[in-house]
Amino acid sequence: MADERSAEQKKIDEWLPITSSRNAKWWYSTFHNVTAMVGAGVLSLPYAMSELGWGPGVTVLVLSWIITLYTLWQMVEMHEMVPGKRFDRYHELGQHAFGEKLGLWIVVPQQVVVEVGVDIVYMVTGGKSLKKIHDLLCKENCTNLKLSHFIMIFASVHFCLVHLPNFNSISSISLAAAVMSLSYSTIGWVASIKKGVQPDVDYGYNAKTNKGAVFNFFSALGDVAFAYAGHNVVLEIQATIPSTPEKPSKGPMWRGVVVAYIVVAVCYFPVALIGYWVFGNSVEDNILISLEKPTWLIVTANFFVVVHVIGSYQIYAMPVFDMIETVLVKKLKFKPTWYLRFITRNLYVAFTMFVGIAIPFFGGLLGFFGGFAFAPTTYFLPCIMWLAIYKPKRFSLSWIINWICIILGVLLMVIAPIGALRSIILSAKNLKFFS
């Protein structure tokens, strides 16, 4: 009987998106990580800089890069810390660290908020970029289309793509998306240099009052946290890499992560610093909106953004599909069929599209999700797991570094949503739902 069940279990695992394919190469992890991390967040970095100012802005950017690379290394190391077992999903690692029930409750809600939140934000970003292309190219006799129409057009692509079964099947989309992220980031800072520093540039804070400046500062911290968000899918990406006792998956995975982080630095730092240097505090929450000319270049950049967020949406959706399908098949005993997958995945796309159309204020959403859920899963949850599992000696280097990351991460989690919530409330005053 036990054998029979394990055979059935094996069959289910071969059907589920995360565990169905384990033949990825190390460079798959590079472009999956780049696609997961360098998202729409990079375009809001100059705006975040304008709310943070030169000194704090550069400090926060560099610190975030270092801390998140460190916590990513921890997750890669912890993937196979138990001999003969792989923690293929973030919540499985959480269960090992905190116990079966508690681990689920700590990790799953945050991971779901991040992944579904990112997909909603990407619905809005994809729609906004398509609208920008339309508005730039179409000058006369144009049909007046609302943002909601463009979000629907963007969603229509996903109604097809979500039926690709697993991570490896989306690797070519992910590669295209990673190339696009590098391309539009480069366009962002090169076009800014070409435009030159604006004659009336001002590097002071936008807010008229000290209270406003403080709230905007908090919100900008959330924008930066949103930009470093690849951790929520890192174990799931590593699960696709083959592993043996002689050649564990952490070797190729870490190689891929290092290359990805170099790409992240090449994308983030020039865009954030040059964008702010050129436009000062008048920069938009999406740098491409500040760059009006040359038209063909901005159209190209927005097209690259659309291709990139198509890939990114898929990367973040895959673990959500895995969770939904696991519950349906393992807990509720549904048969693992193509039509079960067809219904659940289409419903998911429809849900993210509907919410994106209902609440399309982009900047505030970034800061809110960034602080509320990205900070824990990216900045300090891996450190808490590390301390719980490895129990480093008190006041040893590992212990001190992890506690510094935890304190900074908790601060970020508390203060970023406060500022973002205020900016969402202010945006909502002037915005009609379903606009």
Side-chain angles (χ1 to χ4, degrees), residues 60-78:
V60 167
L61 270 182
V62 174
L63 259 183
S64 290
W65 192 87
I66 294 166
I67 290 172
T68 55
L69 180 59
Y70 172 69
T71 54
L72 200 48
W73 168 78
Q74 287 181 311
M75 292 188 76
V76 171
E77 286 291 313
M78 289 190 283

Side-chain angles (χ1 to χ4, degrees), residues 306-341:
V306 172
V307 175
H308 177 260
V309 291
I310 286 171
S312 232
Y313 182 99
Q314 294 299 320
I315 292 276
Y316 280 96
M318 203 57 82
V320 181
F321 298 151
D322 185 79
M323 285 182 207
I324 295 168
E325 289 163 17
T326 300
V327 169
L328 289 173
V329 173
K330 289 188 176 177
K331 290 263 193 322
L332 304 175
K333 303 296 180 207
F334 278 87
K335 280 209 170 94
T337 55
W338 69 267
Y339 49 86
L340 178 73
R341 194 164 263 179

Side-chain angles (χ1 to χ4, degrees), residues 254-281:
W254 179 241
R255 199 181 320 158
V257 165
V258 169
V259 176
Y261 253 72
I262 292 166
V263 175
V264 166
V266 169
C267 291
Y268 283 16
F269 295 114
V271 172
L273 304 178
I274 294 168
Y276 180 43
W277 173 63
V278 168
F279 295 103
N281 62 13

